[in-house]
Amino acid sequence: VKNIAVLTSGGDAPGMNAAIRAIVRTGNYFQLNVYGVMYGYRGLINGEIMKMDSRSVANIIQRGGTILKTARCKEFFGYEGRQRAYEQLKKYQIDGLIVIGGDGTFKGAFTFSKEFDIPCMGLPGTIDKDIDGTDYTIGFDTAVNTAVRAIDKIRDTAEAHDRLFIVEVMGRDAGYIALHSGIATGAEHVLLPEQPTRIQDIIDALQANERRKKLVNIIVVAEGDQSGGANEVARVIKEQLPHFDTRVCILGHIQRGGAPTCLDRILASRMGYAAVLALMEGKHHNCMVGVVNNQIQFTPLENAVKASPRIDPEWFQMIRILAS
Amino acid sequence: VKNIAVLTSGGDAPGMNAAIRAIVRTGNYFQLNVYGVMYGYRGLINGEIMKMDSRSVANIIQRGGTILKTARCKEFFGYEGRQRAYEQLKKYQIDGLIVIGGDGTFKGAFTFSKEFDIPCMGLPGTIDKDIDGTDYTIGFDTAVNTAVRAIDKIRDTAEAHDRLFIVEVMGRDAGYIALHSGIATGAEHVLLPEQPTRIQDIIDALQANERRKKLVNIIVVAEGDQSGGANEVARVIKEQLPHFDTRVCILGHIQRGGAPTCLDRILASRMGYAAVLALMEGKHHNCMVGVVNNQIQFTPLENAVKASPRIDPEWFQMIRILAS
Amino acid sequence: VKNIAVLTSGGDAPGMNAAIRAIVRTGNYFQLNVYGVMYGYRGLINGEIMKMDSRSVANIIQRGGTILKTARCKEFFGYEGRQRAYEQLKKYQIDGLIVIGGDGTFKGAFTFSKEFDIPCMGLPGTIDKDIDGTDYTIGFDTAVNTAVRAIDKIRDTAEAHDRLFIVEVMGRDAGYIALHSGIATGAEHVLLPEQPTRIQDIIDALQANERRKKLVNIIVVAEGDQSGGANEVARVIKEQLPHFDTRVCILGHIQRGGAPTCLDRILASRMGYAAVLALMEGKHHNCMVGVVNNQIQFTPLENAVKASPRIDPEWFQMIRILAS
Amino acid sequence: VKNIAVLTSGGDAPGMNAAIRAIVRTGNYFQLNVYGVMYGYRGLINGEIMKMDSRSVANIIQRGGTILKTARCKEFFGYEGRQRAYEQLKKYQIDGLIVIGGDGTFKGAFTFSKEFDIPCMGLPGTIDKDIDGTDYTIGFDTAVNTAVRAIDKIRDTAEAHDRLFIVEVMGRDAGYIALHSGIATGAEHVLLPEQPTRIQDIIDALQANERRKKLVNIIVVAEGDQSGGANEVARVIKEQLPHFDTRVCILGHIQRGGAPTCLDRILASRMGYAAVLALMEGKHHNCMVGVVNNQIQFTPLENAVKASPRIDPEWFQMIRILAS
């Protein structure tokens, strides 16, 4: 391996820049040429490729977003698109590719690596933390801390008014942000896609709280919860408890931005560093770099799929008890 | 004046606790008894009144919300309600009242002071900064900084994806949060209640930006803008520019909470201190304490109404130029 | 077990309040009486003990410090002190004790439990993360993120002036804060107690950087590094490189305060919850509750000592490469 | 005026980038060429000058530091240095110069403008807020908020341990940061250069607090206070009150960095915008742009000197009362 390329794809996640920096500098240190591809697979197809060096990634470790930008790209799902991408790589004599993104990104890389015999490495960059083969994904810790600080602020005003707040956090298929931010802010209820929601139970609990004069309640809802999101939960609750002072807050895209936390920066740095080494050593080609039990671990790209739910049921018991 | 009471009313605003602290400690220092009234006028009517001392307000200067809680109270708009409130004051021999809130709060205090000859002082506590007689209101600087930090995060992800974001900030009747946060985040457009919005102009400008490859745009919309808020603006834009990657973010109640900024803590401290002195000296009874050109200034409560728009038109010119 | 007590001891750490909250609420949920002991072992000896309930710990999960306060206590190292402590426990019929602190705290608890047959549980609360039997300690993640954000700010001004900054972070015996904050901020060098420091190597590297026009450098030094701390490192560097614009920053106690991160709140909540369950079930008495590979794990208090260095040498290689 | 240049000089201050952005974009909007000068006057002499456009200043409004870097430059104090600077300007046909910095920066610009008939505008960029002719300087609000958040954290740990903390903040000649951060954090004492410090009074007050069991005390000291800074204050106090648990914290350069607050961004934007307009209109050449009572105001550069103390004595009374 002499010339490698890196791209970010899918939804952006804080820490992606730290990963790019690690890849460029590790590559340069070991005498590789490192190319940055703009706009994910779309830029690969269109040849938006530039050479990077140590200076290109100076002072970005603390920046949210991704300097390589990202995009979703339908063309890369078709053979023709991938062939054009391959031609671009040939043009630059790139013989190793690192993609940072989620399971869709990995699926593309897997197919691509099979078809054109280009070694690909994946880095899990998604705030949702729902990829098999790693305990953490780049961006999750930052996103959940952003959610926690936002909900702390909401609690200030909830306490001032004795209000019920229904806060929607990101997580279409996975409830980790909701679960972690809910526990960390002392939320009274947490609604997740991984577990059926019985709104009636919540309404009963709210009424029980009311009887003991506890009027401040926070419900954290993952956007992918089957209940239909915060607005729908609020609608049902207002119908049955019209005398509650109920408000909705949808945190939205603030969860994607901001300076990454220490954990995300280190995670991204380690993964980027390991990916380049793996490309060079040739031992774990076409794998995703994960961190499991604080050790780097490689998972074949075809297995680095959306994780099936793995939330310890005892955590739900704990939420109930700690918010009591 | 020997016994004074303080309450917070209307929407909560960060810095209210700093004001309560200043009132209690200044009162105590000058040998007054200071009572805290819970839940605004409602608690005054119901007698939710407690004596406070230096310890009651220890370590609260940095807390969002209000330890006295707040509520809206219809009863106080009727004479009977105010009479019951007056009886509570008599019971505690309270001969001076300080209310922290917005123009509705002041209106109630004005009527009350007339009817029952109780000297009242008002402190402007509202994140909207739209009260005549003061340059700043308690909570505005914190709310606008919260909005700025949130929009900074949104810009990170907007830049990563070349997206158009429409961000709604608080401000039902006044656009100061939108105006200030818009300038401070380099927003391309700012929509305010104080000024008619021509969405067609915005669409034209977005298209002009597109022609020069500027795809990242942020539009800050005050909730009270005549266009109908961020969702409605987004709907119109999506209709005309369906190929734009357009997203909406409604910041909501996070703008009300959080530790107050330095400015809000000092403002609240100075106002609380001045209000107690004014009650004692008897010179500015039934006034709102404001800060104008960095000097304490008193405005009769009946004049401390929602300010008419006073936004310098040159600022709009500046926004356009700086985002160019 | 029917009546349990909790105390915090040694240096304070953010997240201790989240642990106290979890202990009180879990205890109450299972019908235990929970007592809070003020000022650590000193308050235990002096009988500064109060009953706590759900309300006592409302709205504290997000607060730094410890509502139970903490202190170092020599008397508890003597038998007489411990006997007086035991008498206090008897007075309140307390039959289980949870202590939150570091290895000194655990040593005391271990001796105490042996002598008086009181089941004790330990929770690792220290920003230094240097306790055997757990991957994380309560407070570390918050402290290191505070350090990271501070060093980010220092880098802003270092970049503006082309300066060399030597930043001292906490860590008397362990360099985890220095190591993690150094990697996360892209520090050029990290000096730790766990590893001998050769300042001459650093000076050589600084000169090499100077030759390639890289004048901004950040060196993170753990306070316990053998070099003698940031001031001493600066003295030596200034002597040999007098033309460098060298500044020192000692972050100090800001690293102990502030709202805990999500990770610390969840860690503290899980540990507090598990400690109460363990007391009730009687299976892991006189153990420290740790989290290893994300699972609760119990370590006998006598083994929960300061961890021997366990820093992966590859991390140092990575720091060198990523800052290149 | 057709070609203008901008530079930052002296100590950096958050918000300088927002000013640079405003100058470049306003200049471009009005068809001026705008040049950026690196490293202040040193770069002017050495010809480190580059053309800037809208893209050069994209996405910097929220960044601390200054993208133009800054330096102190002795040569510019001599005629020869200024002549070389003038030759550089001639080379680029630059006929207007905007300098962002403190009073030293303005003094240089004033002499330069006299000697070579180059119209110069000054923008007050210094965290110290001690320039005549403006109520605020770029960077002050950010610096003081950084100090406030840091002292909030210190208070957390002070409360946990019943400690006395002596916190040193920046301000060599002016105590505004100390004064504002002291009030905003409820500091028990604030020591400023503008006012003689009697440590004995402080010691008496600490003893009085001790008698009423108030053991947590925070003293904020400006680095330029005659007492000799936090370490010296601590030394004297420890001598006389050895039983106090006394700690020192010197906040240092973290106060210079970080994302600017909303106020600093708007201030810098308005000033930069106004400076370009003034250059074009020719009305206020060789003036500093200030904001007084929220209006733009121009002060001849020779009068824009370090402000004489203007701290309202009532504020000291207020500090004493509010911390009681």
Side-chain angles (χ1 to χ4, degrees):
Chain A
V1 177
K2 287 216 173 137
N3 305 295
I4 63 173
V6 54
L7 61 80
T8 49
S9 165
D12 65 316
M16 282 182 162
N17 282 328
I20 295 166
R21 170 182 177 269
I23 290 163
V24 171
R25 294 207 166 153
T26 305
N28 278 189
Y29 182 87
F30 291 112
Q31 321 285 342
L32 308 181
N33 294 306
V34 185
Y35 293 89
V37 180
M38 300 299 294
Y39 295 105
Y41 292 126
R42 195 180 83 198
L44 194 59
I45 292 172
N46 298 337
E48 296 184 72
I49 297 173
M50 61 187 178
K51 202 162 169 188
M52 300 183 83
D53 63 13
S54 187
R55 288 285 157 110
S56 332
V57 293
N59 217 5
I60 66 165
I61 195 172
Q62 78 278 35
R63 307 258 182 262
T66 157
I67 61 166
L68 294 178
K69 300 206 173 211
T70 180
R72 303 189 194 268
C73 172
K74 280 188 201 154
E75 280 175 282
F76 198 74
F77 286 104
Y79 178 77
E80 202 195 338
R82 290 192 297 272
Q83 192 161 35
R84 285 176 56 201
Y86 176 63
E87 277 150 26
Q88 294 292 349
L89 291 186
K90 270 206 308 193
K91 199 162 111 192
Y92 291 89
Q93 300 188 282
I94 291 165
D95 47 8
L97 178 64
I98 302 174
V99 300
I100 311 173
D103 62 334
T105 304
F106 299 155
K107 201 170 290 175
F110 173 68
T111 310
F112 187 62
S113 72
K114 291 275 149 182
E115 287 172 346
F116 300 99
D117 196 27
I118 283 278
C120 291
M121 303 298 301
L123 261 60
T126 157
I127 62 171
D128 287 342
K129 199 177 90 114
D130 58 344
I131 305 282
D132 266 331
T134 192
D135 290 345
Y136 272 99
T137 55
I138 298 169
F140 169 73
D141 189 58
T142 305
V144 80
N145 273 292
T146 299
V148 163
R149 281 193 303 269
I151 302 173
D152 282 352
K153 289 191 172 75
I154 290 168
R155 187 172 283 282
D156 281 347
T157 188
E159 294 281 343
H161 287 274
D162 282 353
R163 272 182 183 150
L164 163 63
F165 265 93
I166 301 164
V167 182
E168 185 176 305
V169 297
M170 283 193 162
R172 211 156 291 168
D173 306 300
Y176 293 106
I177 295 180
L179 181 68
H180 285 241
S181 66
I183 296 174
T185 57
E188 276 70 20
H189 302 278
V190 178
L191 310 192
L192 309 177
E194 286 89 344
Q195 150 145 334
T197 299
R198 294 173 36 177
I199 295 197
Q200 193 54 51
D201 291 354
I202 292 174
I203 288 169
D204 293 348
L206 290 171
Q207 287 178 312
N209 279 352
E210 189 185 14
R211 283 189 293 273
R212 59 185 187 100
K213 307 265 181 240
K214 181 171 178 358
L215 299 170
V216 182
N217 288 279
I218 290 183
I219 302 176
V220 175
V221 184
E223 63 178 324
D225 182 63
Q226 310 94 315
S227 62
N231 281 317
E232 179 57 18
V233 172
R235 197 190 55 75
V236 177
I237 289 178
K238 279 176 182 172
E239 225 174 73
Q240 294 205 36
L241 303 172
H243 59 296
F244 270 60
D245 190 355
T246 304
R247 302 292 162 115
V248 169
C249 220
I250 296 173
L251 295 187
H253 282 80
I254 61 168
Q255 295 164 84
R256 290 204 174 274
T261 59
C262 184
L263 192 154
D264 271 330
R265 298 186 199 187
I266 292 179
L267 186 77
S269 297
R270 291 175 69 189
M271 287 176 166
Y273 173 78
V276 174
L277 261 58
L279 270 185
M280 285 167 49
E281 294 166 0
K283 272 195 293 199
H284 299 285
H285 282 181
N286 308 320
C287 281
M288 184 194 76
V289 184
V291 167
V292 175
N293 294 342
N294 204 26
Q295 300 297 319
I296 291 289
Q297 187 169 301
F298 296 92
T299 301
L301 280 173
E302 64 266 41
N303 299 339
V305 293
K306 268 205 200 287
S308 46
R310 47 181 179 186
I311 293 177
D312 189 336
E314 199 175 2
W315 285 42
F316 290 101
Q317 155 100 336
M318 188 174 78
I319 290 173
R320 216 170 26 251
I321 291 176
L322 297 196
S324 67
Chain B
V1 176
K2 288 215 172 137
N3 306 295
I4 65 173
V6 54
L7 60 81
T8 49
S9 165
D12 65 317
M16 284 182 161
N17 282 328
I20 295 166
R21 170 181 176 269
I23 290 163
V24 171
R25 293 208 168 154
T26 306
N28 277 190
Y29 182 86
F30 291 112
Q31 321 284 344
L32 308 181
N33 295 307
V34 185
Y35 293 88
V37 181
M38 300 299 292
Y39 294 104
Y41 292 126
R42 194 181 83 198
L44 194 59
I45 291 171
N46 299 338
E48 295 184 75
I49 297 171
M50 61 187 178
K51 201 161 171 189
M52 300 182 84
D53 63 14
S54 186
R55 289 283 159 112
S56 333
V57 293
N59 218 3
I60 65 164
I61 194 172
Q62 79 277 36
R63 306 259 182 262
T66 157
I67 59 167
L68 295 179
K69 300 206 173 210
T70 178
R72 302 188 196 267
C73 173
K74 280 190 201 152
E75 279 176 284
F76 197 74
F77 286 103
Y79 179 77
E80 201 193 340
R82 291 193 297 271
Q83 191 160 37
R84 284 177 55 203
Y86 176 64
E87 275 151 26
Q88 293 291 350
L89 292 186
K90 271 208 307 195
K91 198 162 113 191
Y92 290 89
Q93 299 188 284
I94 292 164
D95 46 9
L97 177 66
I98 301 175
V99 299
I100 311 174
D103 63 333
T105 304
F106 299 156
K107 202 170 288 177
F110 173 69
T111 311
F112 187 61
S113 72
K114 291 275 147 179
E115 288 172 346
F116 298 100
D117 197 27
I118 284 278
C120 291
M121 304 298 302
L123 259 60
T126 157
I127 62 171
D128 287 342
K129 200 177 91 110
D130 59 343
I131 305 282
D132 268 330
T134 192
D135 289 345
Y136 272 98
T137 55
I138 297 169
F140 169 73
D141 189 57
T142 305
V144 82
N145 273 292
T146 300
V148 163
R149 281 194 302 268
I151 301 172
D152 281 353
K153 290 191 171 74
I154 289 168
R155 188 172 282 281
D156 281 347
T157 188
E159 294 280 344
H161 286 274
D162 282 354
R163 272 182 184 151
L164 163 62
F165 266 94
I166 301 164
V167 183
E168 184 175 304
V169 298
M170 284 192 160
R172 210 157 293 169
D173 305 301
Y176 293 107
I177 295 180
L179 181 69
H180 286 240
S181 66
I183 296 175
T185 57
E188 277 68 21
H189 301 277
V190 178
L191 310 192
L192 308 177
E194 287 89 344
Q195 149 144 336
T197 299
R198 294 174 36 178
I199 296 197
Q200 194 54 51
D201 291 354
I202 291 174
I203 288 169
D204 293 348
L206 290 171
Q207 286 178 312
N209 280 352
E210 189 185 13
R211 281 190 294 272
R212 57 184 189 103
K213 307 264 181 240
K214 181 173 179 358
L215 300 170
V216 181
N217 288 279
I218 290 184
I219 301 175
V220 176
V221 184
E223 63 178 326
D225 182 63
Q226 309 94 315
S227 61
N231 281 317
E232 179 58 16
V233 172
R235 196 189 57 73
V236 176
I237 290 177
K238 279 177 182 171
E239 225 173 73
Q240 295 206 35
L241 304 172
H243 60 296
F244 270 60
D245 191 357
T246 304
R247 303 292 163 112
V248 169
C249 220
I250 296 174
L251 296 187
H253 282 79
I254 60 168
Q255 295 164 84
R256 291 204 173 275
T261 59
C262 184
L263 193 155
D264 271 331
R265 298 186 199 186
I266 292 180
L267 187 77
S269 297
R270 290 175 72 190
M271 287 175 166
Y273 173 78
V276 175
L277 260 60
L279 270 186
M280 284 167 50
E281 293 167 0
K283 270 195 295 200
H284 299 285
H285 283 181
N286 307 321
C287 281
M288 183 194 77
V289 183
V291 167
V292 175
N293 295 340
N294 204 25
Q295 301 297 318
I296 291 288
Q297 188 170 300
F298 295 92
T299 301
L301 281 173
E302 65 266 42
N303 299 338
V305 293
K306 269 207 199 286
S308 44
R310 47 179 178 185
I311 293 178
D312 189 335
E314 199 175 4
W315 285 43
F316 289 100
Q317 155 100 335
M318 189 174 79
I319 291 173
R320 213 166 31 246
I321 291 176
L322 297 194
S324 68
Chain C
V1 176
K2 288 216 175 137
N3 305 295
I4 65 173
V6 53
L7 59 81
T8 49
S9 166
D12 65 317
M16 283 181 162
N17 281 328
I20 296 166
R21 170 181 177 271
I23 290 163
V24 170
R25 294 208 168 154
T26 307
N28 278 189
Y29 182 87
F30 290 112
Q31 321 285 343
L32 308 181
N33 294 306
V34 186
Y35 293 88
V37 181
M38 300 298 292
Y39 294 104
Y41 291 126
R42 194 180 84 198
L44 194 59
I45 291 172
N46 299 337
E48 294 183 75
I49 296 170
M50 61 188 179
K51 201 160 171 190
M52 300 182 83
D53 63 14
S54 185
R55 289 283 158 113
S56 332
V57 293
N59 217 2
I60 65 165
I61 195 172
Q62 79 276 37
R63 307 260 182 258
T66 156
I67 61 167
L68 294 179
K69 300 206 172 209
T70 178
R72 303 189 194 269
C73 172
K74 281 189 201 153
E75 280 175 282
F76 198 74
F77 286 103
Y79 179 77
E80 201 193 339
R82 291 192 297 271
Q83 192 160 36
R84 286 176 55 202
Y86 176 64
E87 276 152 25
Q88 294 291 351
L89 291 186
K90 272 208 306 195
K91 200 162 109 190
Y92 291 89
Q93 301 188 283
I94 290 164
D95 46 9
L97 177 65
I98 301 174
V99 300
I100 311 173
D103 62 334
T105 304
F106 298 156
K107 201 170 289 176
F110 173 68
T111 311
F112 187 61
S113 72
K114 292 274 148 181
E115 287 173 346
F116 299 100
D117 196 28
I118 283 278
C120 291
M121 303 299 300
L123 261 58
T126 157
I127 62 172
D128 287 342
K129 201 178 91 110
D130 59 344
I131 306 282
D132 267 331
T134 192
D135 290 344
Y136 272 99
T137 55
I138 298 168
F140 169 74
D141 189 58
T142 305
V144 81
N145 273 293
T146 300
V148 163
R149 279 193 303 269
I151 301 173
D152 281 353
K153 289 190 171 75
I154 290 168
R155 188 172 282 281
D156 281 346
T157 187
E159 294 280 343
H161 287 274
D162 281 353
R163 272 182 183 150
L164 164 63
F165 266 93
I166 301 163
V167 182
E168 185 175 303
V169 298
M170 284 193 160
R172 211 158 291 169
D173 306 300
Y176 293 106
I177 295 180
L179 181 68
H180 286 241
S181 66
I183 296 174
T185 58
E188 276 70 19
H189 302 277
V190 178
L191 310 191
L192 308 178
E194 285 89 345
Q195 149 145 334
T197 299
R198 294 174 37 176
I199 296 198
Q200 194 52 51
D201 291 354
I202 292 174
I203 288 169
D204 294 347
L206 290 171
Q207 286 178 312
N209 279 352
E210 190 184 13
R211 281 190 294 273
R212 58 184 189 103
K213 307 266 182 240
K214 180 171 176 2
L215 300 168
V216 181
N217 288 280
I218 290 183
I219 302 175
V220 175
V221 184
E223 63 178 325
D225 182 62
Q226 310 94 315
S227 61
N231 281 317
E232 179 57 17
V233 172
R235 197 190 56 73
V236 177
I237 289 178
K238 280 176 181 170
E239 227 172 72
Q240 295 205 37
L241 302 173
H243 60 295
F244 270 60
D245 190 357
T246 304
R247 304 291 163 114
V248 169
C249 221
I250 296 173
L251 295 187
H253 282 79
I254 60 168
Q255 294 163 86
R256 289 203 174 277
T261 58
C262 184
L263 191 155
D264 272 331
R265 298 187 198 186
I266 292 179
L267 187 76
S269 297
R270 290 176 70 190
M271 287 176 166
Y273 174 78
V276 174
L277 260 58
L279 271 185
M280 285 167 49
E281 293 167 1
K283 270 195 293 200
H284 298 286
H285 282 180
N286 308 320
C287 281
M288 183 193 76
V289 183
V291 166
V292 175
N293 294 342
N294 205 26
Q295 300 298 318
I296 292 288
Q297 189 169 298
F298 295 92
T299 301
L301 281 172
E302 63 268 41
N303 300 338
V305 294
K306 266 205 200 289
S308 45
R310 49 180 175 184
I311 294 178
D312 189 335
E314 199 176 2
W315 284 43
F316 290 101
Q317 156 100 335
M318 187 174 79
I319 290 173
R320 214 168 30 248
I321 291 176
L322 296 196
S324 68
Chain D
V1 176
K2 289 217 174 134
N3 305 295
I4 64 173
V6 55
L7 60 79
T8 50
S9 165
D12 65 316
M16 282 182 163
N17 282 328
I20 296 165
R21 171 181 176 270
I23 289 163
V24 171
R25 294 208 166 154
T26 307
N28 277 189
Y29 182 86
F30 291 111
Q31 321 285 343
L32 308 181
N33 294 306
V34 186
Y35 293 88
V37 181
M38 299 298 293
Y39 295 106
Y41 292 127
R42 196 180 82 198
L44 194 58
I45 290 172
N46 300 337
E48 295 184 73
I49 297 172
M50 60 187 177
K51 202 159 171 191
M52 301 183 82
D53 63 13
S54 186
R55 288 283 159 112
S56 333
V57 293
N59 218 1
I60 65 165
I61 194 171
Q62 78 278 35
R63 307 259 182 260
T66 156
I67 60 166
L68 294 178
K69 300 207 172 209
T70 178
R72 303 190 195 267
C73 172
K74 279 189 200 153
E75 281 175 283
F76 198 74
F77 286 104
Y79 178 77
E80 202 194 337
R82 291 192 297 271
Q83 192 160 36
R84 286 176 55 201
Y86 176 63
E87 276 151 26
Q88 293 292 350
L89 292 187
K90 270 207 307 195
K91 199 163 111 191
Y92 291 89
Q93 299 188 282
I94 291 164
D95 46 7
L97 178 64
I98 301 174
V99 300
I100 312 174
D103 62 335
T105 304
F106 299 155
K107 202 170 288 175
F110 174 68
T111 310
F112 187 62
S113 72
K114 291 275 149 180
E115 287 172 347
F116 299 98
D117 196 26
I118 284 278
C120 291
M121 303 298 303
L123 259 59
T126 157
I127 62 171
D128 287 342
K129 200 176 91 110
D130 58 343
I131 305 281
D132 267 332
T134 192
D135 290 344
Y136 272 97
T137 56
I138 297 169
F140 169 73
D141 190 57
T142 305
V144 81
N145 273 293
T146 300
V148 163
R149 281 193 302 268
I151 301 173
D152 282 352
K153 289 191 170 77
I154 289 169
R155 188 171 283 282
D156 281 346
T157 187
E159 294 280 343
H161 286 273
D162 282 355
R163 272 182 184 152
L164 164 62
F165 266 93
I166 301 164
V167 183
E168 185 175 304
V169 297
M170 283 194 162
R172 210 157 292 169
D173 306 299
Y176 293 106
I177 295 180
L179 181 69
H180 286 241
S181 65
I183 296 175
T185 58
E188 276 69 20
H189 301 277
V190 178
L191 310 191
L192 308 179
E194 286 88 344
Q195 148 144 336
T197 299
R198 294 175 36 178
I199 296 196
Q200 194 53 52
D201 291 355
I202 291 174
I203 288 168
D204 294 348
L206 290 171
Q207 287 178 311
N209 279 351
E210 190 185 14
R211 281 189 294 273
R212 59 185 188 99
K213 306 264 183 244
K214 180 172 179 357
L215 299 169
V216 182
N217 288 279
I218 290 184
I219 302 176
V220 176
V221 184
E223 65 178 325
D225 183 63
Q226 309 95 316
S227 62
N231 281 316
E232 179 58 19
V233 171
R235 197 190 57 73
V236 176
I237 289 177
K238 280 176 182 171
E239 225 173 73
Q240 293 205 36
L241 302 173
H243 60 295
F244 270 61
D245 190 356
T246 305
R247 302 291 163 114
V248 168
C249 220
I250 296 174
L251 296 187
H253 282 79
I254 60 168
Q255 294 163 85
R256 289 203 174 277
T261 59
C262 185
L263 192 153
D264 272 330
R265 299 186 199 187
I266 293 180
L267 187 75
S269 298
R270 291 176 70 190
M271 286 176 166
Y273 173 78
V276 175
L277 261 58
L279 270 185
M280 285 168 48
E281 293 168 359
K283 271 195 294 200
H284 299 284
H285 282 180
N286 307 320
C287 281
M288 183 194 76
V289 183
V291 166
V292 175
N293 294 342
N294 203 26
Q295 300 298 317
I296 291 289
Q297 188 169 299
F298 296 93
T299 301
L301 280 172
E302 64 266 41
N303 299 338
V305 294
K306 267 204 197 290
S308 44
R310 49 180 177 184
I311 294 177
D312 189 335
E314 198 173 4
W315 285 43
F316 290 101
Q317 156 100 334
M318 188 175 80
I319 290 173
R320 215 170 26 251
I321 290 176
L322 297 196
S324 69

